Amino acid sequence: MASIEQAITTLREISTEAGYISQAAAVLSWDQETYMPPAAIEGRASQQAILSALVHQRLTSDDLGTALQTLGASDATPTGNPSLAFMDSRLVRQLYRTWKQARKIPEQFIRNLAMATSQGQVAWANARENNDFAGFQPHLEKIVDLCRQKAEYLGYQGEAYDALLDEYEPGMNTTNVEGTFAALAGELAPLVTNCVRQSKNSPIDTDFLSSGFSIEGQQQFAASVMEAMGFSSERGRLDVSAHPFSTSLGRDDVRITTNWSDDLSRGLYGVIHETGHALYELGLGRELPSALASGTSLGIHESQSRLWENMVGRSREFWQHFFGRLQTIFPAKLQGKTADDLYRAVNRVQLSQVRIHADELTYSLHIMLRFRLELALMRGQLQVADLPAAWNAQAKKLLGAEPANNREGCLQDIHWSMGAIGYFPTYALGNLYGAMFMDQAATEMPKLWDNIAHGQFEPLRSWLQTNIHQHGLAKNAGELLQDICGKPLSHQSYIGYLRGKYQAAGKD
Amino acid sequence: MASIEQAITTLREISTEAGYISQAAAVLSWDQETYMPPAAIEGRASQQAILSALVHQRLTSDDLGTALQTLGASDATPTGNPSLAFMDSRLVRQLYRTWKQARKIPEQFIRNLAMATSQGQVAWANARENNDFAGFQPHLEKIVDLCRQKAEYLGYQGEAYDALLDEYEPGMNTTNVEGTFAALAGELAPLVTNCVRQSKNSPIDTDFLSSGFSIEGQQQFAASVMEAMGFSSERGRLDVSAHPFSTSLGRDDVRITTNWSDDLSRGLYGVIHETGHALYELGLGRELPSALASGTSLGIHESQSRLWENMVGRSREFWQHFFGRLQTIFPAKLQGKTADDLYRAVNRVQLSQVRIHADELTYSLHIMLRFRLELALMRGQLQVADLPAAWNAQAKKLLGAEPANNREGCLQDIHWSMGAIGYFPTYALGNLYGAMFMDQAATEMPKLWDNIAHGQFEPLRSWLQTNIHQHGLAKNAGELLQDICGKPLSHQSYIGYLRGKYQAAGKD
């Protein structure tokens, strides 16, 4: 018994130290994206390389392995000895997974992958800038090969893509995603067709939102929204970076960024999205050990950001409350406009080519496109050289047209250049998780939307914290769904939500 | 011979890794002082404690000790085997010193000190804010105890304070400082008396500088000055913090901060001072190994900041060049004023209570006050509880009056809360070093002041880089003085400079 306690202490100590070093690395990354002077990049890369190695050493250490063995962790019993208390069993599960996965990948391979993706990102940025796929092709070929190798190191039951997907969304596999996306696509198609036709018949005015909003005014408004959502500047901040992100630098230090333009909706919805991520990290239980103090999967994380951004932030009730405040800050810009004009403008449906500017309804189509292509790449059914043509064909099928060029097509996203194959599906899964959670929240809190219309966001935030945030990695995505909704993942809630919102709008 | 090469490689590898981890820690400190949200402090302290321990482990490692032994390093031959090339011999000297000192201090003690000073700084900030010495007292008691313990670990020949002083100003001891300060005080007294009497007889107008300067305009002007001094925003930045500082986060990443008010001279001279520090770090030789890539002592560092701030920035020549630019930015504020009015205003002598706002002439008195008190604390002749009274008594003696409250008295500086006892004397030593360097620079460059009057600061910056900056830790303070000025430290140059500037001004 003494040795069990000792092993738990070892687990906690090693993972806490690794956690603090990871947080330090996160501070460096945050600084790199926000304030770091340009010439500092080389030194910063060396600092980061050493911190990464220090974390890796700890999470693959023999000491950790021995302690996990003492605690009975194995593939058959990932939560270890059945006598362990709940939180300890989850700590064992998480660290056994991390340790096992990290031990499978040789250090030399990690270095090769880091080198290839580091060069790949530079090549991608140039290729996108110059609309030059050929300049990126050899890099992507190498990265796809390395990702296939990585899958072999990690191992899988079904197919190679499973191993990559599992890195980002533990418990999910290719068959699940294919089935879910196929069902979703079938239901989305008529909704999208209706809405696009409707948009053509009675165009929605969105021009008034797209320019002339001072950044200072937008910051003021965004601060009100963040505060209403429950983000406290005691425990976080909002800065500016080229691409919006959210990052946790400590249990009481979660930072978000946005990129202001004079388009009101881009900055605002960026802030709401990232605040949704931040609330998850800020809502983690104080009692969680360091190794469990994190969002449980990318899909669940994305459910929090997209739920706040779209289901709440693009709701009629949101604008019923916030329109007056916005009008006070921008009286001239919004003269003669109503909350309903705002609501319609931020929900206009349009088939477009660029994912990050896509509306809520068509967003998942962009993800399906990427999923199909990266799956085909991993299966060897598609060669990198043929990617532009394959992209354009899928874009025609899913988005109704081919992109004007590769820059707005297969070169638009950074993910593949970073080696992040298997990541995209989590964006769309986030929509499905989010809708399931919101269905349940509305059932448990009949006044939910009434509260939101009155600017009371705390009941929702608190419900999300109690049911999701506080558990961190102690519950995985499947367990959260089971405990909250009593059922596994499905697209039903999401489609129900979209029908309620867009079927009316799409009626002729 | 092969093993010598191998030992040098070991030295470089270990110290480079320690250097990068130290830089990561510096990023965390910078963030803590500039942007970190308040509630993050506890997590940040833990992150810092671990990074400190990682650095400590490397600099005390057996591998490093063995390599140093192989290279012949000992107390008798600190530069190691006489066959070593110059840079290698200095690397050996520096790392032998670091290793020997660090081995004396247990890792647990380092963690305790890091934790105590991290919390101490927060307590100090609150105490100063609320003029509440009692809130800081237990923290300072703990820190003083830890500093005494540290001195015992390090060992000393004369008294405990020697061990602390040597950390900041290697080669200096308490007796030296006491003697130098006594000689300086003797020469300063009549100069100060004269200038204060003269100020009373014919008051100098400084009111026009003390308010009404927009921060935006000040930032614009400060940017011109920084650029003229040779600071590039490619390799650094200027931010805001409660207490101005300069910090190196990498060879091409040196950050400074200031604290703007509507008083022109406060922000400006803060910026010039910190830019002086930054130029030192930015001027380090590219060929210096990581362990030598740093300013050689705090006193030499301070010579660079104070030389730029006072000898250059408060010179007639500086304002001959910059007055026009300032007038362009603040035409209304400076209507009817001349470069000479500015010169006189920024050089007004006044006995005051707050060190960071002290004029050049009386500044050293503030240092002597702190030196006496921290020496008494270390000697056990003064208890922390009695610090406010002792401070007030010394202030009366040296500065002619007691401070209005502890906020303007013993709570005014952050240093003790950081555990930096033994640090203050280096500020005054910096004045002496700086004057010796400027004497030599003016001798070698007869057009030095002519250049400055024409806004050409590059000859001075370049001279300082060639003679001081590029050498980093490869030359210690004594060696720099010997190589540049051909003599050891004395107060003669500084007093000569002050007489030239203030004796005329102080004449009735």
Side-chain angles (χ1 to χ4, degrees):
Chain A
M1 200 51 203
S3 79
I4 292 275
E5 272 165 33
Q6 209 167 14
I8 286 288
T9 304
T10 301
L11 251 56
R12 286 181 181 251
E13 281 177 358
I14 293 177
S15 59
T16 298
E17 184 159 312
Y20 283 130
I21 302 170
S22 297
Q23 288 174 355
V27 177
L28 269 59
S29 296
W30 171 84
D31 176 70
Q32 181 168 335
E33 301 301 325
T34 51
Y35 295 109
M36 190 183 81
I41 187 67
E42 202 180 311
R44 183 56 52 87
S46 302
Q47 294 156 10
Q48 289 286 32
I50 286 179
L51 295 185
S52 295
L54 289 170
V55 171
H56 186 75
Q57 281 160 19
R58 277 153 187 76
L59 296 181
T60 56
S61 68
D62 292 339
D63 287 351
L64 184 58
T66 307
L68 285 164
Q69 203 171 22
T70 304
L71 293 163
S74 72
D75 287 354
T77 55
T79 51
N81 191 317
S83 70
L84 292 175
F86 174 77
M87 200 60 92
D88 288 340
S89 75
R90 298 315 166 102
L91 181 63
V92 167
R93 177 170 75 175
Q94 181 58 25
L95 287 173
Y96 179 64
R97 177 184 154 90
T98 308
W99 183 83
K100 206 180 63 173
Q101 299 289 81
R103 293 275 280 207
K104 288 176 180 169
I105 303 184
E107 212 177 303
Q108 186 56 46
F109 177 82
I110 299 209
R111 264 187 245 131
N112 293 347
L113 184 62
M115 184 69 79
T117 55
S118 171
Q119 291 168 350
Q121 284 172 65
V122 177
W124 165 77
N126 289 332
R128 189 172 74 153
E129 176 90 18
N130 305 310
N131 189 35
D132 167 32
F133 181 77
F136 181 46
Q137 186 184 320
H139 292 273
L140 186 56
E141 280 166 349
K142 191 165 185 183
I143 289 167
V144 168
D145 276 350
L146 288 169
C147 284
R148 228 182 266 119
Q149 265 184 58
K150 187 175 152 195
E152 296 305 322
Y153 282 129
L154 291 171
Y156 46 84
Q157 302 241 319
E159 58 178 305
Y161 190 82
D162 286 341
L164 305 182
L165 186 61
D166 187 74
E167 288 274 281
Y168 302 110
E169 198 63 22
M172 192 60 64
N173 66 35
T174 311
T175 309
N176 277 345
V177 174
E178 276 190 306
T180 307
F181 281 7
L184 182 61
E187 306 263 18
L188 269 179
L191 268 176
V192 171
T193 309
N194 267 349
C195 283
V196 170
R197 193 179 54 219
Q198 173 70 6
S199 285
K200 276 185 193 146
N201 293 347
S202 17
I204 294 166
D205 178 17
T206 60
D207 286 355
F208 73 102
L209 285 187
S210 66
S211 68
F213 290 87
S214 73
I215 288 176
E216 204 195 338
Q218 290 186 66
Q219 286 173 325
Q220 245 182 292
F221 183 67
S224 313
V225 175
M226 288 170 72
E227 198 191 327
M229 288 172 67
F231 185 95
S232 154
S233 61
E234 286 285 307
R235 301 176 66 208
R237 30 181 304 124
L238 166 62
D239 292 278
V240 170
S241 68
H243 301 280
F245 65 90
S246 159
T247 179
S248 173
L249 312 187
R251 296 217 182 186
D252 294 295
D253 190 357
V254 178
R255 314 223 182 155
I256 69 170
T257 69
T258 198
N259 190 346
W260 304 107
S261 66
D262 59 354
D263 178 325
L264 179 80
S265 65
R266 289 200 182 170
L268 173 64
Y269 285 105
V271 169
I272 299 179
H273 182 98
E274 301 306 337
T275 302
H277 281 304
L279 292 179
Y280 191 176
E281 296 290 326
L282 290 167
L284 294 165
R286 290 272 163 197
E287 73 290 357
L288 290 171
S290 166
L292 300 179
S294 169
T296 198
S297 78
L298 287 179
I300 298 293
H301 233 304
E302 201 67 13
S303 78
Q304 300 307 293
S305 55
R306 303 188 70 75
L307 175 164
W308 280 104
E309 177 192 353
N310 293 324
M311 303 182 79
V312 177
R314 293 184 206 269
S315 67
R316 273 186 211 282
E317 289 82 355
F318 178 89
W319 285 113
Q320 274 168 31
H321 173 68
F322 271 115
F323 182 71
R325 169 87 183 126
L326 189 66
Q327 216 172 18
T328 309
I329 300 176
F330 300 108
K333 282 291 304 173
L334 296 177
Q335 199 161 23
K337 296 289 176 189
T338 64
D340 215 51
D341 292 332
L342 230 338
Y343 170 75
R344 276 197 302 269
V346 301
N347 285 296
R348 180 175 62 163
V349 175
Q350 201 180 20
L351 282 168
S352 67
Q353 293 293 325
V354 179
R355 178 182 61 86
I356 59 165
H357 299 148
D359 57 77
E360 177 186 23
L361 188 65
T362 60
Y363 185 88
S364 301
L365 303 174
H366 292 262
I367 299 307
M368 292 173 194
L369 185 160
R370 287 153 181 76
F371 168 68
R372 289 178 191 177
L373 295 175
E374 64 182 23
L375 185 58
L377 285 170
M378 286 302 290
R379 285 176 173 170
Q381 298 162 341
L382 172 65
Q383 299 309 304
V384 170
D386 303 324
L387 180 63
W391 180 289
N392 295 351
Q394 285 292 336
K396 181 117 204 209
K397 208 183 279 184
L398 286 161
L399 306 171
E402 293 191 2
N405 51 48
N406 289 331
R407 198 176 157 167
E408 295 201 348
C410 65
L411 287 173
Q412 71 182 269
D413 291 311
I414 196 174
H415 303 59
W416 290 338
S417 75
M418 298 166 68
I421 293 177
Y423 188 117
F424 278 121
T426 67
Y427 289 136
L429 294 176
N431 284 333
L432 310 194
Y433 291 133
M436 290 178 74
F437 295 144
M438 280 299 270
D439 259 0
Q440 187 62 30
T443 304
E444 294 180 23
M445 298 184 289
K447 295 203 160 184
L448 176 67
W449 288 104
D450 217 42
N451 286 330
I452 290 174
H454 288 88
Q456 290 150 14
F457 297 87
E458 182 53 19
L460 175 59
R461 193 208 59 77
S462 175
W463 187 91
L464 293 168
Q465 183 175 18
T466 304
N467 288 283
I468 302 164
H469 305 171
Q470 67 160 331
H471 302 299
L473 277 154
K475 293 187 183 181
N476 62 31
E479 288 164 346
L480 282 177
L481 284 183
Q482 200 54 49
D483 290 353
I484 298 169
C485 309
K487 55 190 171 194
L489 177 69
S490 105
H491 64 292
Q492 296 300 346
S493 288
Y494 186 54
I495 280 295
Y497 156 73
L498 291 178
R499 279 207 192 107
K501 185 165 178 177
Y502 291 99
Q503 212 153 40
K507 274 192 189 125
D508 286 342
Chain B
M1 199 50 203
S3 78
I4 292 276
E5 272 165 34
Q6 210 167 13
I8 286 287
T9 303
T10 301
L11 252 55
R12 286 180 183 251
E13 282 176 357
I14 293 175
S15 58
T16 299
E17 183 161 313
Y20 283 129
I21 301 171
S22 297
Q23 289 175 354
V27 177
L28 270 57
S29 296
W30 171 84
D31 176 70
Q32 182 169 334
E33 300 302 323
T34 50
Y35 294 109
M36 191 183 81
I41 186 64
E42 201 181 314
R44 184 56 53 87
S46 302
Q47 294 157 9
Q48 289 286 33
I50 285 180
L51 295 184
S52 295
L54 289 169
V55 171
H56 187 72
Q57 281 161 17
R58 276 149 190 79
L59 297 180
T60 55
S61 68
D62 292 339
D63 287 352
L64 184 58
T66 307
L68 286 165
Q69 201 170 25
T70 304
L71 293 162
S74 71
D75 287 354
T77 56
T79 51
N81 190 317
S83 70
L84 292 176
F86 174 77
M87 199 62 90
D88 288 340
S89 75
R90 298 315 165 102
L91 181 63
V92 167
R93 177 171 74 176
Q94 181 58 26
L95 286 173
Y96 179 64
R97 178 185 151 88
T98 308
W99 182 81
K100 208 181 60 171
Q101 299 289 82
R103 290 279 278 207
K104 293 173 179 168
I105 303 184
E107 201 179 310
Q108 188 54 48
F109 178 83
I110 304 261
R111 282 181 201 248
N112 293 347
L113 186 62
M115 189 66 83
T117 56
S118 181
Q119 291 167 350
Q121 285 172 64
V122 177
W124 164 78
N126 289 332
R128 189 172 75 153
E129 176 91 18
N130 304 311
N131 190 36
D132 167 32
F133 181 78
F136 180 45
Q137 186 183 321
H139 291 273
L140 186 56
E141 279 167 350
K142 190 166 185 182
I143 290 166
V144 168
D145 276 349
L146 288 168
C147 284
R148 225 182 268 119
Q149 266 184 56
K150 187 174 152 194
E152 296 305 323
Y153 283 130
L154 291 171
Y156 45 84
Q157 301 240 319
E159 58 179 304
Y161 190 82
D162 286 342
L164 304 183
L165 187 60
D166 187 75
E167 289 274 283
Y168 302 110
E169 199 63 21
M172 193 62 63
N173 65 35
T174 311
T175 310
N176 275 343
V177 173
E178 280 190 305
T180 306
F181 281 6
L184 181 62
E187 304 263 19
L188 269 179
L191 269 175
V192 171
T193 307
N194 267 347
C195 283
V196 169
R197 194 178 54 222
Q198 174 69 8
S199 284
K200 277 187 191 145
N201 293 346
S202 13
I204 295 167
D205 177 15
T206 59
D207 286 354
F208 74 103
L209 285 187
S210 66
S211 68
F213 290 88
S214 72
I215 289 175
E216 203 194 340
Q218 290 186 66
Q219 286 173 325
Q220 241 182 296
F221 183 67
S224 312
V225 175
M226 288 170 73
E227 197 190 330
M229 288 170 67
F231 185 95
S232 153
S233 61
E234 286 286 305
R235 299 177 66 209
R237 37 181 299 124
L238 166 61
D239 293 278
V240 170
S241 67
H243 193 94
F245 66 90
S246 159
T247 180
S248 173
L249 313 187
R251 294 216 183 187
D252 294 295
D253 190 358
V254 178
R255 314 223 181 154
I256 68 171
T257 68
T258 197
N259 191 343
W260 303 106
S261 65
D262 59 353
D263 179 324
L264 179 80
S265 66
R266 290 198 182 172
L268 173 64
Y269 285 105
V271 168
I272 300 179
H273 181 99
E274 302 306 337
T275 303
H277 281 303
L279 291 179
Y280 192 175
E281 296 291 326
L282 291 167
L284 294 165
R286 289 271 166 200
E287 74 290 357
L288 289 171
S290 165
L292 300 179
S294 169
T296 198
S297 77
L298 287 180
I300 298 294
H301 233 304
E302 200 67 12
S303 77
Q304 300 307 292
S305 56
R306 304 191 66 77
L307 174 164
W308 281 104
E309 177 191 354
N310 293 323
M311 304 182 80
V312 176
R314 294 184 206 269
S315 68
R316 273 187 209 282
E317 291 81 357
F318 178 90
W319 284 113
Q320 276 168 31
H321 172 68
F322 270 115
F323 182 72
R325 168 88 182 126
L326 189 65
Q327 219 172 16
T328 309
I329 299 177
F330 299 109
K333 283 291 305 170
L334 296 176
Q335 199 162 21
K337 297 290 176 189
T338 65
D340 215 51
D341 292 332
L342 230 340
Y343 170 75
R344 276 198 302 271
V346 300
N347 285 296
R348 181 177 61 165
V349 175
Q350 201 180 19
L351 283 167
S352 66
Q353 293 295 326
V354 179
R355 177 182 63 84
I356 59 163
H357 302 147
D359 57 78
E360 178 185 23
L361 189 66
T362 60
Y363 184 88
S364 302
L365 303 174
H366 292 262
I367 300 307
M368 292 170 193
L369 183 160
R370 287 153 180 77
F371 169 65
R372 289 178 193 177
L373 295 176
E374 63 182 24
L375 187 56
L377 284 170
M378 286 303 291
R379 284 176 174 169
Q381 297 162 342
L382 173 63
Q383 300 309 304
V384 170
D386 302 325
L387 180 65
W391 181 288
N392 295 351
Q394 284 293 335
K396 181 118 208 210
K397 208 182 277 183
L398 284 161
L399 306 171
E402 294 190 1
N405 51 47
N406 289 331
R407 198 176 158 167
E408 295 201 349
C410 65
L411 287 173
Q412 70 181 268
D413 292 312
I414 195 174
H415 302 62
W416 291 337
S417 75
M418 298 165 69
I421 293 177
Y423 187 120
F424 279 121
T426 67
Y427 288 137
L429 295 174
N431 284 333
L432 311 192
Y433 291 133
M436 291 178 74
F437 295 143
M438 279 300 271
D439 260 1
Q440 187 61 29
T443 303
E444 294 180 24
M445 297 184 289
K447 296 204 160 184
L448 175 66
W449 288 105
D450 217 42
N451 287 331
I452 290 174
H454 290 88
Q456 290 151 15
F457 298 86
E458 182 53 20
L460 176 58
R461 193 208 60 77
S462 172
W463 187 92
L464 293 168
Q465 183 175 18
T466 304
N467 288 282
I468 301 163
H469 305 171
Q470 68 161 327
H471 303 299
L473 276 155
K475 293 187 182 181
N476 62 32
E479 288 165 347
L480 282 176
L481 284 182
Q482 200 55 49
D483 291 354
I484 298 168
C485 310
K487 57 190 170 195
L489 177 69
S490 104
H491 64 292
Q492 297 299 343
S493 286
Y494 185 54
I495 281 295
Y497 156 72
L498 291 178
R499 281 209 190 102
K501 185 165 179 178
Y502 292 99
Q503 212 153 43
K507 269 186 193 131
D508 287 341

